[in-house]
Amino acid sequence: MDNYQIKSIIGLEIKQLRKVLDLTQVEFGDKLNLDAAYISKIERGIKPISSIQLFTILSICNENDAIEFVVKIMDKVKSSNN
C-alpha cells in the first residue's frame, strides 16, 4: 500500500467523521486551524494530515466516534494489505 492509498483512506474517514460531527469544511478547518481548501484536499487524499491535526480531530469527538474512526482506518488499511 502506498502513501496515496493511505491518505485516501484517512481522508475519506475524516470526511465521514466531519459529517457525523455535523461540521462544514470551514467549521472543521477552524477547529484545526486550517482553511477549508486544505480540509478538502485532506478529504480527497491529496494532502497529508499531521499527527497533531489527527489528535486534535480525535479530541473534538466523543470517545465512541474517536474509537470507531481509528478502528475503521485500521480495518481498511489491513484489508488493503491482504
Side-chain angles (χ1 to χ4, degrees), residues 13-26:
E13 292 306 321
I14 287 173
K15 181 177 184 175
Q16 291 176 351
L17 180 61
R18 176 179 60 78
K19 289 182 177 189
V20 166
L21 297 172
D22 196 30
L23 296 171
T24 66
Q25 287 180 338
V26 171

Side-chain angles (χ1 to χ4, degrees), residues 3-60:
N3 283 341
Y4 177 74
Q5 290 170 311
I6 292 171
K7 286 189 295 187
S8 294
I9 289 169
I10 293 170
L12 178 62
E13 292 306 321
I14 287 173
K15 181 177 184 175
Q16 291 176 351
L17 180 61
R18 176 179 60 78
K19 289 182 177 189
V20 166
L21 297 172
D22 196 30
L23 296 171
T24 66
Q25 287 180 338
V26 171
E27 293 166 334
F28 198 60
D30 287 346
K31 292 184 180 295
L32 300 175
N33 202 24
L34 299 170
D35 64 29
Y38 198 87
I39 295 296
S40 175
K41 290 175 184 173
I42 289 171
E43 292 180 351
R44 290 181 286 143
I46 296 169
K47 291 286 188 180
I49 185 162
S50 73
S51 57
I52 291 172
Q53 292 161 339
L54 191 56
F55 281 111
T56 302
I57 289 170
L58 295 173
S59 74
I60 63 174

